[in-house]
Amino acid sequence: PPAVGAAYAIKRADANRAVVCYFGEGAASEGDAHAGFNFAATLECPIVFFCRNNGYAISTPTAEQYRGDGIAARGPGYGLLSIRVDGNDVFAVYNATREARRRAVAENQPFLIEAMTYRIGHHSTSDDSSAYRSVDEVNYWDKQDHPISRLRLYLGRRGWWDEQQEQAWRKSSRKMVLEAFEQAEREPKPPPHLLFSDVYLEMPPRLRRQQEELERHLETYGEHYPLQQFQK
Amino acid sequence: GQTQKMNLFQSITSALDNALAKDPTAVVFGEDVAFGGVFRCTVGLRDKYGKDRVFNTPLCEQGIVGFGIGIAVTGATAIAEIQFADYIFPAFDQIVNEAAKYRYRSGDLFNCGNLTIRAPWGCVGHGALYHSQSPEAFFAHCPGIKVVIPRSPLQAKGLLLSCIEDKNPCIFFEPKILYRAAVEQVPVEPYNIPLSQAEVLQTGSDVTMVAWGTQVHVIKEVAAMAQEKLGVSCEVIDLRTILPWDTETVCKSVAKTGRLLISHEAPLTGGFASEISSTVQEECFLNLEAPITRVCGYDTPFPHIFEPFYIPDKWKCYDALRKMINY
């Protein structure tokens, strides 16, 4: 719903812009999704709803998430022009998004794109997906239908990329990322008094007193806190 | 009877296992419960009791609770899981306007007393804004539901079984930081711990300290510190049920000690300590030797990297206790 509100305001501001709102097929089950779609349609908002359908919401496969024809099929029920694309095809996704955006701005109406793909990784570092799906299934998608591999093949066939560039790029990327990590890890964290910032635009007196209370507390008990990891 | 070493999530599994075994109408449902749950609380239950009794729902908290209310209204036992207490808010309307008022609005013609909602609760070290919340205060303001928070595996199983059997809709918050960390010998067979009864863990004469969930362990440690460093004798109370809460045990204790410290992770303003403080000063005004002290989270969203500074740890509690003694 917030995406839709933003789109409405953008429309009124004649900004010639649209909002794109990304969500998974799991999130589409929330009541908020229904609200978002319906508001976007009734209030004629320039928004592109982009559903990343990757087959799983943590351990929940799509068969347990919905029984209809995915998310795209819901769009027409709301009056949303909808399209389903191969989410692992970079160009299909690009073309659908570009056209949806163009029309959303030109016609002040919402669009729904459902990109079909597969979640190769675990849901998070707290998840071990072997508990609910087979390694064979994961390997199939990883090897046979991976968006990056497909683009790689496409580029290779046109002579725009080769194995040598691939290896060099991987090596330099890895170096760049690891250096960034190391650099970031060396940085001390922001100072603890920022814990109290940005609750409101202005800090209420009661909160300022709590901030001062923490400051005083740390003066006496600071040794028991990881202050060395933080800026002063 | 026979006991087994169980951590908190295993004690939950054990309670659910007992409930499903005893009550053929009981069902357990929520997001990702089928494979065992994101905290492993439901491991093995689907295999044992079948896919019509232990099942995943779509990703929709208002649906999960509403659906649970419906099951309960027919007389069957509904045990709903909300994946994190932080996500309970989409279900707030179902809980407050439907579940809590079901019996009252129908003049006891109908009720959803067979509904229990479980949710992981509280700080976990790295949970940040949306995996650390303690929302009990929002629900304490809602007559018609019960709110229960255990401090340990042994307590959790007995309290959860009581919630499931209680004829009122209950919310059961499980301290997620204790899921693996807390381990105890827990009876394999079912047993009940009564709701709305606080437990005095340690008697004392100088100060009463009240907490629930994880924070009970913090104040226990503070009680030991107070005894050692200040020669102060503390009475430690685990409230256990937030709503309806055991005013008698707490007031009786404060009438004896004259001093009260209440501590919770949830923010200070409007936190449940305010209700306890208000009631105690009404009941025990003349007994009080010092103002009632609350050591709570700050009035901010639950922070990410600043968590060590945010939580009402033993040093903050100890310092507050010291000031109260010297008042």
Side-chain angles (χ1 to χ4, degrees), chain B residues 89-237:
Chain B
F89 301 106
F92 205 69
D93 180 56
Q94 287 291 334
I95 293 168
V96 170
N97 276 332
E98 303 297 324
K101 298 173 169 63
Y102 223 102
R103 190 188 298 280
Y104 188 89
R105 71 187 182 194
S106 68
D108 201 23
L109 281 176
F110 307 106
N111 74 80
C112 60
N114 290 331
L115 172 65
T116 301
I117 301 165
R118 303 175 31 246
W121 169 102
C123 79
V124 69
H126 53 270
L129 283 72
Y130 302 111
H131 295 80
S132 310
Q133 291 178 48
S134 307
E136 67 273 11
F138 292 101
F139 297 100
H141 195 55
C142 180
I145 53 170
K146 297 195 175 181
V147 180
V148 178
I149 307 176
R151 68 172 184 274
S152 75
L154 189 65
Q155 291 288 309
K157 176 166 167 165
L159 288 167
L160 179 55
L161 284 171
S162 292
C163 285
I164 292 169
E165 285 158 32
D166 192 283
K167 292 299 171 203
N168 300 284
C170 296
I171 301 179
F172 187 77
F173 288 126
E174 302 166 358
K176 67 178 85 66
I177 201 173
L178 299 179
Y179 272 143
R180 287 192 292 182
V183 183
E184 278 179 315
Q185 289 291 125
V186 179
V188 172
E189 289 306 305
Y191 59 96
N192 292 85
I193 293 177
L195 303 186
S196 293
Q197 267 188 40
E199 189 181 354
V200 179
L201 300 191
Q202 175 183 315
T203 53
S205 52
D206 302 326
V207 178
T208 301
M209 291 200 283
V210 176
W212 45 91
T214 320
Q215 200 64 8
V216 173
H217 304 288
V218 176
I219 61 170
K220 269 174 70 178
E221 202 178 335
V222 173
M225 286 162 73
Q227 182 66 68
E228 194 202 306
K229 297 178 201 270
L230 306 169
V232 163
S233 153
C234 299
E235 186 141 301
V236 176
I237 299 179

Side-chain angles (χ1 to χ4, degrees), chain A residues 26-27 29-32 57-61 64-66 126-128 131-132 189-196 199 206-207 210 213-214 217-218 221 224-227 230, chain B residues 31-35 38 46 56-62 83 90 126 268-270 294 297-301 303 305-311 313 315-319 322:
Chain A
S29 293
E30 288 279 13
D32 276 1
I58 306 186
S59 73
T60 305
E64 292 175 1
Q65 196 64 247
Y66 55 77
S126 308
D127 179 46
D128 175 6
Y132 50 84
K189 297 172 191 178
H193 70 80
L194 290 181
L195 194 173
F196 301 90
V199 180
R206 193 170 203 205
L207 191 56
Q210 292 176 11
E213 188 187 293
L214 175 63
H217 180 75
L218 291 175
Y221 296 93
H224 304 290
Y225 296 82
L227 286 166
F230 294 80
Chain B
E31 294 156 26
D32 304 296
V33 301
F35 89 108
V38 292
R46 185 176 168 93
N56 290 342
T57 64
L59 206 171
C60 183
E61 292 75 20
Q62 69 185 128
Q83 199 161 87
H126 53 270
L268 178 74
T269 299
R294 297 177 289 161
Y298 300 116
D299 290 333
T300 72
I305 56 166
F306 298 126
E307 177 168 335
F309 302 97
Y310 172 92
I311 55 174
D313 62 21
W315 300 109
K316 292 181 185 172
C317 291
Y318 173 75
D319 194 63
R322 199 179 49 81

Side-chain angles (χ1 to χ4, degrees), chain B residues 8-64:
Chain B
L8 183 64
F9 74 72
Q10 290 165 334
S11 74
I12 301 296
T13 315
S14 178
L16 295 175
D17 193 345
N18 291 157
L20 289 162
K22 208 163 77 162
D23 177 353
T25 73
V27 290
V28 171
F29 54 92
E31 294 156 26
D32 304 296
V33 301
F35 89 108
V38 292
F39 290 108
R40 305 169 72 96
C41 293
T42 51
V43 169
L45 298 178
R46 185 176 168 93
D47 286 343
K48 192 167 175 185
Y49 295 101
K51 57 189 174 64
D52 61 312
R53 296 186 70 193
V54 180
F55 53 91
N56 290 342
T57 64
L59 206 171
C60 183
E61 292 75 20
Q62 69 185 128
I64 289 166

Side-chain angles (χ1 to χ4, degrees), chain A residues 36-84:
Chain A
F37 298 152
N38 201 31
F39 274 54
T42 54
L43 299 172
E44 298 169 5
C45 301
I47 179 169
V48 176
F49 291 109
F50 192 106
C51 178
R52 301 165 287 100
N53 187 332
N54 67 9
Y56 286 92
I58 306 186
S59 73
T60 305
T62 52
E64 292 175 1
Q65 196 64 247
Y66 55 77
R67 278 304 152 83
D69 179 12
I71 313 309
R74 297 180 198 171
Y78 293 96
L80 303 176
L81 289 173
S82 310
I83 189 171
R84 169 172 290 139

